[in-house]
Amino acid sequence: MAANSFRSRALTALAGLLALSFGSLADSRIEDQAEQFFRSGHTNNWAVLVCTSRFWFNYRHVANTLSVYRSVKRLGIPDSHIVLMLADDMACNARNPKPATVFSHKNMELNVYGDDVEVDYRSYEVTVENFLRVLTGRVPPGTPRSKRLLSDDRSNILIYMTGHGGNGFLKFQDSEEITNIELADAFEQMWQKRRYNELLFIIDTCQGASMYERFYSPNIMALASSQVGEDSLSHQPDPAIGVHLMDRYTFYVLEFLEEINPASQTNMNDLFQVCPKSLCVSTPGHRTDLFQRDPKNVLITDFFGSVRKVEITTETISLQPDLGIMESSNKEDQIDEERMEPLKYAEQLPVAQIIHQSLFWKETAAHLGSWWNNTCVSGAHGAQEPAAVHPS
Amino acid sequence: MAAAVRLALIVLLLLGPGGWGHAEPSRDSLREELVITPLPSGDVAATFQFRTRWDSELHREEVSHYRLFPKALGQLISKYSLQELHLSFTQGFWRTRYWGPPFLQAPSGAELWVWFQDTVTDVDKSWKELSNVLSGIFCASLNFIDSTNTVIPTASFKPLGLANGTDHYFLRYAVLPREVVCTENLTPWKKLLPCSSKAGLSVLLKADRLFHTSYHSQAVHIRPVCRNARCTSISWELRQTLSVVFDAFVTGQGKKDWSLFRMFSRTLTEPCPLAAESRVYVDITSSKQDNETLEVNPPPLTTYQDVILGTQKTYAVYDLLDTAVINNSRNLNLQLKWKRPPENGYIHYQPAQDRLQPHLLEMLIQLPANSVTKVSIQFERALLKWTEYTPDPNHGFYVSPSVLSALVPSIVASKPVDWEESPLFNTLFPGSDSSSYFVRLYTEPLLVNLPTPDFSMPYNVICLTCTVVAVCYGSFYNLLTRTFHIEEPSKGGLAKRLANLIRRARGIPPL
């Protein structure tokens, strides 16, 4: 009897265990489907990378921005989707001992300037007004495509800013500032116009955390290199170049991003741990309360890379040759034969014609002057006839 | 991926022979050339030119098929009704005195001049829009071009291509001297080339070498040219030029041997397959004149002689489309060697170190006959510490005299001197050559009056400060910290009583 009850208890325990396992299997499938639902719904990626400092000793800010540019390009975002703003030219600066290079590691190990960089806003064009116009889309009518942020409501945008900052402001080119309230309002304008799906804001300046304190639009995640009251410090100088090459926070972010490839599954929580106080001396901060997804579900490549969802199809499409081009070319050959007299090149320095031209203007001026005299003096001496040369 | 490959295959089949009706001859052609000119100062200049000629009338038809001519520029011509466009970005200045005349000089910064067609109604509006579009294409701040830096030249800048009439109302010219040229301007310029930077001469265009130069100028020129000798129809010509001057001392480390690898850190491997002509010209005029001073390796198969910029010049020609010059197994790395060193043979310069060693400059110069040679050097004296001044600093500071050691040709040949027999004044310098004699001359020393500090100032400052402190601060201190109270005069102390005793003894009234 006891053995029976023991066996039956074991059987029920086994049955219970099996039921549990089946249940958990079903649960995990549902969980997978649910996770798919919470993955990011973006279809394109944009990046706005801003360096706001001028002068040679701020080399490190340009190197910061270029290292993020390099990582972002490497992970797949094309130049047409990157708005790069550099407030000064370090690579071809007369003080650069190796022209056309910007290094991030000392002993000139890594040239972040590269061979195919495209800077959209440079030198004096990097102003607060231009930056806000790029963000909100209110650019003047003639602005070329490469200088616009043509994002839509399914775009994930990465905004990286670096320079000199303080509690609540960021300096642009040592002559003007942008406050955290203006920045928050710009992001709200972007949200109202549905110009982003999700936004990642990274800032590497002194007291950087003050810049994201005032954000109030949804779907924004922010990272900063230091808290209010702390300074962000630079990393290492290079004796050959003579200036500090990078800031600490961005240096360690660059090292972190060098490990990422487009297929990697690293998430944002790892980015939050990137520079602990022992390495960075300042305390990096982050803000995720406005973000709807859990940071551990957000992939780094959601913002830094451009991972597209691809649908592979097996149906074939047939193309017809375009007959329109051939017809127009036939027409053109006929038109060409109509012009019978030959064309000629212009004379580069027609001295006689130029002198004649100046004489013409002098005559006209003299003629006008004399006409004026006559009308004012009411014909006292009669009209003076101009000289015999008349313009043809 | 497999579907895409299949798709591509199907497309190719349809466009194969017979799919087009009749074979269409290509209407655009590319010619590329590189001219290497060794300059008299030991530097070397390299000029690239890439010319795409398109036999098409862009203004009359709707063009949708672009082959070699870049679409970005073709659309500009049709949209803004351009007659000509010339845009250049330059860093540095072409030193005609040392380098000779340039092929095509450009001003430092950015220069843009444009002739519009006479069908344009609002030229200023088109000009503004065009400069904005170009600033986006070339990553430059050309959007700063506005009425404050635009002019309408009335006599110069006549069209360089075919022109119907030259009403200068349709010409606009602007220059931005502050514009910097760097890799971000070179990248879109390279992307306009048909072979990009993958084959042909454009593989040599590496930014880190091209910007380490004394002069860098890249330009884009678009103009209509005659299609054939009869000149009854127009072709559009796009020329992309790039001129650089490599400095002998900065890039060459003082040596005057040049090679393609030394200049560009690349060699030529293959011609551009889309190019009709791909040539390298090397200026060997000096070698033909002064008995082979310049040696070019590998030796050229053909040469080209013509009058260029007023002088007769000879060029060695290397045709990259010729398999004898370049093929799969052999790269082309041109080497230029100076066989005899140029006239300025020897220069030795040792800069000064503060409080350690002075400047030293030694030069070996060959003076041409009947000429005057001036040698000047600028230097600065470092500011001395106040203890290092002499007691009479207003006298000035001395710069030691320069020394000139020369071998002067002798008019009359001298016979060798016997040291024991000849007088002493003839045996000061050992003479080896009978045709010249050695002489050493000195210049005057230089006395330079430099600003000296006023050595009495520390004493003056101490006196003045102490006076001010004592008088002003001291008075206030006293006023604020002293308290005054009334004191009853004392009746008398011991000394007073003794004095009164003595007075009484003497009969004088007491105190």
Side-chain angles (χ1 to χ4, degrees), chain B residues 462-477:
Chain B
I462 292 171
C463 281
L464 187 66
T465 340
C466 291
T467 311
V468 168
V469 167
V471 170
C472 300
Y473 175 68
S475 316
F476 272 108
Y477 178 78

mmCIF file with all atom_site columns, all heavy atoms in Angstrom, chain B residues 462-477:
data_model
loop_
_atom_site.group_PDB
_atom_site.id
_atom_site.type_symbol
_atom_site.label_atom_id
_atom_site.label_alt_id
_atom_site.label_comp_id
_atom_site.label_asym_id
_atom_site.label_entity_id
_atom_site.label_seq_id
_atom_site.pdbx_PDB_ins_code
_atom_site.Cartn_x
_atom_site.Cartn_y
_atom_site.Cartn_z
_atom_site.occupancy
_atom_site.B_iso_or_equiv
_atom_site.pdbx_formal_charge
_atom_site.auth_seq_id
_atom_site.auth_comp_id
_atom_site.auth_asym_id
_atom_site.auth_atom_id
_atom_site.pdbx_PDB_model_num
ATOM 1   N N   . ILE B 1 462 ? 59.346 99.297  -4.986 1.00 0.00 ? 462 ILE B N   1
ATOM 2   C CA  . ILE B 1 462 ? 59.328 99.021  -3.541 1.00 0.00 ? 462 ILE B CA  1
ATOM 3   C C   . ILE B 1 462 ? 59.112 100.324 -2.777 1.00 0.00 ? 462 ILE B C   1
ATOM 4   O O   . ILE B 1 462 ? 58.294 100.396 -1.849 1.00 0.00 ? 462 ILE B O   1
ATOM 5   C CB  . ILE B 1 462 ? 60.647 98.345  -3.116 1.00 0.00 ? 462 ILE B CB  1
ATOM 6   C CG1 . ILE B 1 462 ? 60.714 96.942  -3.722 1.00 0.00 ? 462 ILE B CG1 1
ATOM 7   C CG2 . ILE B 1 462 ? 60.765 98.286  -1.603 1.00 0.00 ? 462 ILE B CG2 1
ATOM 8   C CD1 . ILE B 1 462 ? 62.034 96.276  -3.546 1.00 0.00 ? 462 ILE B CD1 1
ATOM 9   N N   . CYS B 1 463 ? 59.808 101.370 -3.184 1.00 0.00 ? 463 CYS B N   1
ATOM 10  C CA  . CYS B 1 463 ? 59.638 102.655 -2.494 1.00 0.00 ? 463 CYS B CA  1
ATOM 11  C C   . CYS B 1 463 ? 58.211 103.129 -2.568 1.00 0.00 ? 463 CYS B C   1
ATOM 12  O O   . CYS B 1 463 ? 57.599 103.512 -1.569 1.00 0.00 ? 463 CYS B O   1
ATOM 13  C CB  . CYS B 1 463 ? 60.522 103.731 -3.151 1.00 0.00 ? 463 CYS B CB  1
ATOM 14  S SG  . CYS B 1 463 ? 62.219 103.635 -2.660 1.00 0.00 ? 463 CYS B SG  1
ATOM 15  N N   . LEU B 1 464 ? 57.658 103.094 -3.762 1.00 0.00 ? 464 LEU B N   1
ATOM 16  C CA  . LEU B 1 464 ? 56.307 103.629 -3.953 1.00 0.00 ? 464 LEU B CA  1
ATOM 17  C C   . LEU B 1 464 ? 55.297 102.820 -3.157 1.00 0.00 ? 464 LEU B C   1
ATOM 18  O O   . LEU B 1 464 ? 54.445 103.378 -2.456 1.00 0.00 ? 464 LEU B O   1
ATOM 19  C CB  . LEU B 1 464 ? 55.978 103.577 -5.448 1.00 0.00 ? 464 LEU B CB  1
ATOM 20  C CG  . LEU B 1 464 ? 54.668 104.259 -5.851 1.00 0.00 ? 464 LEU B CG  1
ATOM 21  C CD1 . LEU B 1 464 ? 54.792 105.738 -5.601 1.00 0.00 ? 464 LEU B CD1 1
ATOM 22  C CD2 . LEU B 1 464 ? 54.377 103.984 -7.306 1.00 0.00 ? 464 LEU B CD2 1
ATOM 23  N N   . THR B 1 465 ? 55.417 101.512 -3.252 1.00 0.00 ? 465 THR B N   1
ATOM 24  C CA  . THR B 1 465 ? 54.439 100.679 -2.544 1.00 0.00 ? 465 THR B CA  1
ATOM 25  C C   . THR B 1 465 ? 54.548 100.864 -1.053 1.00 0.00 ? 465 THR B C   1
ATOM 26  O O   . THR B 1 465 ? 53.533 100.980 -0.359 1.00 0.00 ? 465 THR B O   1
ATOM 27  C CB  . THR B 1 465 ? 54.654 99.188  -2.868 1.00 0.00 ? 465 THR B CB  1
ATOM 28  O OG1 . THR B 1 465 ? 55.385 99.065  -4.044 1.00 0.00 ? 465 THR B OG1 1
ATOM 29  C CG2 . THR B 1 465 ? 53.346 98.476  -2.963 1.00 0.00 ? 465 THR B CG2 1
ATOM 30  N N   . CYS B 1 466 ? 55.763 100.892 -0.564 1.00 0.00 ? 466 CYS B N   1
ATOM 31  C CA  . CYS B 1 466 ? 55.913 101.051 0.885  1.00 0.00 ? 466 CYS B CA  1
ATOM 32  C C   . CYS B 1 466 ? 55.377 102.389 1.341  1.00 0.00 ? 466 CYS B C   1
ATOM 33  O O   . CYS B 1 466 ? 54.727 102.480 2.381  1.00 0.00 ? 466 CYS B O   1
ATOM 34  C CB  . CYS B 1 466 ? 57.390 100.920 1.280  1.00 0.00 ? 466 CYS B CB  1
ATOM 35  S SG  . CYS B 1 466 ? 57.968 99.252  1.076  1.00 0.00 ? 466 CYS B SG  1
ATOM 36  N N   . THR B 1 467 ? 55.610 103.433 0.538  1.00 0.00 ? 467 THR B N   1
ATOM 37  C CA  . THR B 1 467 ? 55.081 104.748 0.916  1.00 0.00 ? 467 THR B CA  1
ATOM 38  C C   . THR B 1 467 ? 53.563 104.717 0.971  1.00 0.00 ? 467 THR B C   1
ATOM 39  O O   . THR B 1 467 ? 52.946 105.192 1.921  1.00 0.00 ? 467 THR B O   1
ATOM 40  C CB  . THR B 1 467 ? 55.529 105.806 -0.100 1.00 0.00 ? 467 THR B CB  1
ATOM 41  O OG1 . THR B 1 467 ? 56.915 105.680 -0.293 1.00 0.00 ? 467 THR B OG1 1
ATOM 42  C CG2 . THR B 1 467 ? 55.167 107.193 0.367  1.00 0.00 ? 467 THR B CG2 1
ATOM 43  N N   . VAL B 1 468 ? 52.999 104.164 -0.081 1.00 0.00 ? 468 VAL B N   1
ATOM 44  C CA  . VAL B 1 468 ? 51.532 104.100 -0.127 1.00 0.00 ? 468 VAL B CA  1
ATOM 45  C C   . VAL B 1 468 ? 51.006 103.306 1.063  1.00 0.00 ? 468 VAL B C   1
ATOM 46  O O   . VAL B 1 468 ? 50.063 103.707 1.747  1.00 0.00 ? 468 VAL B O   1
ATOM 47  C CB  . VAL B 1 468 ? 51.079 103.465 -1.456 1.00 0.00 ? 468 VAL B CB  1
ATOM 48  C CG1 . VAL B 1 468 ? 49.615 103.113 -1.404 1.00 0.00 ? 468 VAL B CG1 1
ATOM 49  C CG2 . VAL B 1 468 ? 51.360 104.413 -2.600 1.00 0.00 ? 468 VAL B CG2 1
ATOM 50  N N   . VAL B 1 469 ? 51.644 102.191 1.323  1.00 0.00 ? 469 VAL B N   1
ATOM 51  C CA  . VAL B 1 469 ? 51.174 101.353 2.439  1.00 0.00 ? 469 VAL B CA  1
ATOM 52  C C   . VAL B 1 469 ? 51.324 102.110 3.746  1.00 0.00 ? 469 VAL B C   1
ATOM 53  O O   . VAL B 1 469 ? 50.400 102.152 4.562  1.00 0.00 ? 469 VAL B O   1
ATOM 54  C CB  . VAL B 1 469 ? 51.973 100.025 2.467  1.00 0.00 ? 469 VAL B CB  1
ATOM 55  C CG1 . VAL B 1 469 ? 51.749 99.305  3.770  1.00 0.00 ? 469 VAL B CG1 1
ATOM 56  C CG2 . VAL B 1 469 ? 51.546 99.158  1.308  1.00 0.00 ? 469 VAL B CG2 1
ATOM 57  N N   . ALA B 1 470 ? 52.467 102.709 3.927  1.00 0.00 ? 470 ALA B N   1
ATOM 58  C CA  . ALA B 1 470 ? 52.709 103.391 5.207  1.00 0.00 ? 470 ALA B CA  1
ATOM 59  C C   . ALA B 1 470 ? 51.754 104.554 5.374  1.00 0.00 ? 470 ALA B C   1
ATOM 60  O O   . ALA B 1 470 ? 51.118 104.700 6.417  1.00 0.00 ? 470 ALA B O   1
ATOM 61  C CB  . ALA B 1 470 ? 54.164 103.865 5.267  1.00 0.00 ? 470 ALA B CB  1
ATOM 62  N N   . VAL B 1 471 ? 51.639 105.387 4.345  1.00 0.00 ? 471 VAL B N   1
ATOM 63  C CA  . VAL B 1 471 ? 50.850 106.607 4.531  1.00 0.00 ? 471 VAL B CA  1
ATOM 64  C C   . VAL B 1 471 ? 49.360 106.286 4.586  1.00 0.00 ? 471 VAL B C   1
ATOM 65  O O   . VAL B 1 471 ? 48.672 106.607 5.545  1.00 0.00 ? 471 VAL B O   1
ATOM 66  C CB  . VAL B 1 471 ? 51.158 107.611 3.390  1.00 0.00 ? 471 VAL B CB  1
ATOM 67  C CG1 . VAL B 1 471 ? 50.181 108.754 3.441  1.00 0.00 ? 471 VAL B CG1 1
ATOM 68  C CG2 . VAL B 1 471 ? 52.573 108.120 3.539  1.00 0.00 ? 471 VAL B CG2 1
ATOM 69  N N   . CYS B 1 472 ? 48.880 105.634 3.554  1.00 0.00 ? 472 CYS B N   1
ATOM 70  C CA  . CYS B 1 472 ? 47.426 105.443 3.493  1.00 0.00 ? 472 CYS B CA  1
ATOM 71  C C   . CYS B 1 472 ? 46.961 104.366 4.466  1.00 0.00 ? 472 CYS B C   1
ATOM 72  O O   . CYS B 1 472 ? 46.159 104.607 5.367  1.00 0.00 ? 472 CYS B O   1
ATOM 73  C CB  . CYS B 1 472 ? 47.019 105.054 2.070  1.00 0.00 ? 472 CYS B CB  1
ATOM 74  S SG  . CYS B 1 472 ? 47.471 106.305 0.890  1.00 0.00 ? 472 CYS B SG  1
ATOM 75  N N   . TYR B 1 473 ? 47.492 103.201 4.266  1.00 0.00 ? 473 TYR B N   1
ATOM 76  C CA  . TYR B 1 473 ? 47.014 102.092 5.084  1.00 0.00 ? 473 TYR B CA  1
ATOM 77  C C   . TYR B 1 473 ? 47.368 102.308 6.540  1.00 0.00 ? 473 TYR B C   1
ATOM 78  O O   . TYR B 1 473 ? 46.544 102.065 7.446  1.00 0.00 ? 473 TYR B O   1
ATOM 79  C CB  . TYR B 1 473 ? 47.593 100.769 4.562  1.00 0.00 ? 473 TYR B CB  1
ATOM 80  C CG  . TYR B 1 473 ? 47.235 99.596  5.418  1.00 0.00 ? 473 TYR B CG  1
ATOM 81  C CD1 . TYR B 1 473 ? 45.917 99.155  5.479  1.00 0.00 ? 473 TYR B CD1 1
ATOM 82  C CD2 . TYR B 1 473 ? 48.195 98.969  6.203  1.00 0.00 ? 473 TYR B CD2 1
ATOM 83  C CE1 . TYR B 1 473 ? 45.583 98.093  6.281  1.00 0.00 ? 473 TYR B CE1 1
ATOM 84  C CE2 . TYR B 1 473 ? 47.853 97.899  7.003  1.00 0.00 ? 473 TYR B CE2 1
ATOM 85  C CZ  . TYR B 1 473 ? 46.554 97.466  7.046  1.00 0.00 ? 473 TYR B CZ  1
ATOM 86  O OH  . TYR B 1 473 ? 46.217 96.435  7.837  1.00 0.00 ? 473 TYR B OH  1
ATOM 87  N N   . GLY B 1 474 ? 48.575 102.793 6.771  1.00 0.00 ? 474 GLY B N   1
ATOM 88  C CA  . GLY B 1 474 ? 48.996 102.993 8.153  1.00 0.00 ? 474 GLY B CA  1
ATOM 89  C C   . GLY B 1 474 ? 48.106 103.984 8.881  1.00 0.00 ? 474 GLY B C   1
ATOM 90  O O   . GLY B 1 474 ? 47.692 103.750 10.031 1.00 0.00 ? 474 GLY B O   1
ATOM 91  N N   . SER B 1 475 ? 47.768 105.089 8.175  1.00 0.00 ? 475 SER B N   1
ATOM 92  C CA  . SER B 1 475 ? 46.918 106.088 8.816  1.00 0.00 ? 475 SER B CA  1
ATOM 93  C C   . SER B 1 475 ? 45.559 105.518 9.162  1.00 0.00 ? 475 SER B C   1
ATOM 94  O O   . SER B 1 475 ? 45.051 105.699 10.271 1.00 0.00 ? 475 SER B O   1
ATOM 95  C CB  . SER B 1 475 ? 46.727 107.301 7.900  1.00 0.00 ? 475 SER B CB  1
ATOM 96  O OG  . SER B 1 475 ? 47.935 107.666 7.327  1.00 0.00 ? 475 SER B OG  1
ATOM 97  N N   . PHE B 1 476 ? 44.992 104.832 8.206  1.00 0.00 ? 476 PHE B N   1
ATOM 98  C CA  . PHE B 1 476 ? 43.678 104.235 8.468  1.00 0.00 ? 476 PHE B CA  1
ATOM 99  C C   . PHE B 1 476 ? 43.745 103.230 9.603  1.00 0.00 ? 476 PHE B C   1
ATOM 100 O O   . PHE B 1 476 ? 42.853 103.159 10.456 1.00 0.00 ? 476 PHE B O   1
ATOM 101 C CB  . PHE B 1 476 ? 43.143 103.547 7.206  1.00 0.00 ? 476 PHE B CB  1
ATOM 102 C CG  . PHE B 1 476 ? 42.380 104.477 6.328  1.00 0.00 ? 476 PHE B CG  1
ATOM 103 C CD1 . PHE B 1 476 ? 42.892 104.908 5.122  1.00 0.00 ? 476 PHE B CD1 1
ATOM 104 C CD2 . PHE B 1 476 ? 41.147 104.961 6.739  1.00 0.00 ? 476 PHE B CD2 1
ATOM 105 C CE1 . PHE B 1 476 ? 42.171 105.782 4.331  1.00 0.00 ? 476 PHE B CE1 1
ATOM 106 C CE2 . PHE B 1 476 ? 40.440 105.825 5.951  1.00 0.00 ? 476 PHE B CE2 1
ATOM 107 C CZ  . PHE B 1 476 ? 40.949 106.249 4.747  1.00 0.00 ? 476 PHE B CZ  1
ATOM 108 N N   . TYR B 1 477 ? 44.793 102.447 9.573  1.00 0.00 ? 477 TYR B N   1
ATOM 109 C CA  . TYR B 1 477 ? 44.939 101.439 10.635 1.00 0.00 ? 477 TYR B CA  1
ATOM 110 C C   . TYR B 1 477 ? 44.976 102.103 11.997 1.00 0.00 ? 477 TYR B C   1
ATOM 111 O O   . TYR B 1 477 ? 44.313 101.701 12.954 1.00 0.00 ? 477 TYR B O   1
ATOM 112 C CB  . TYR B 1 477 ? 46.205 100.623 10.381 1.00 0.00 ? 477 TYR B CB  1
ATOM 113 C CG  . TYR B 1 477 ? 46.469 99.591  11.430 1.00 0.00 ? 477 TYR B CG  1
ATOM 114 C CD1 . TYR B 1 477 ? 45.765 98.389  11.433 1.00 0.00 ? 477 TYR B CD1 1
ATOM 115 C CD2 . TYR B 1 477 ? 47.408 99.812  12.441 1.00 0.00 ? 477 TYR B CD2 1
ATOM 116 C CE1 . TYR B 1 477 ? 45.988 97.442  12.390 1.00 0.00 ? 477 TYR B CE1 1
ATOM 117 C CE2 . TYR B 1 477 ? 47.625 98.851  13.397 1.00 0.00 ? 477 TYR B CE2 1
ATOM 118 C CZ  . TYR B 1 477 ? 46.932 97.678  13.376 1.00 0.00 ? 477 TYR B CZ  1
ATOM 119 O OH  . TYR B 1 477 ? 47.142 96.727  14.323 1.00 0.00 ? 477 TYR B OH  1
#
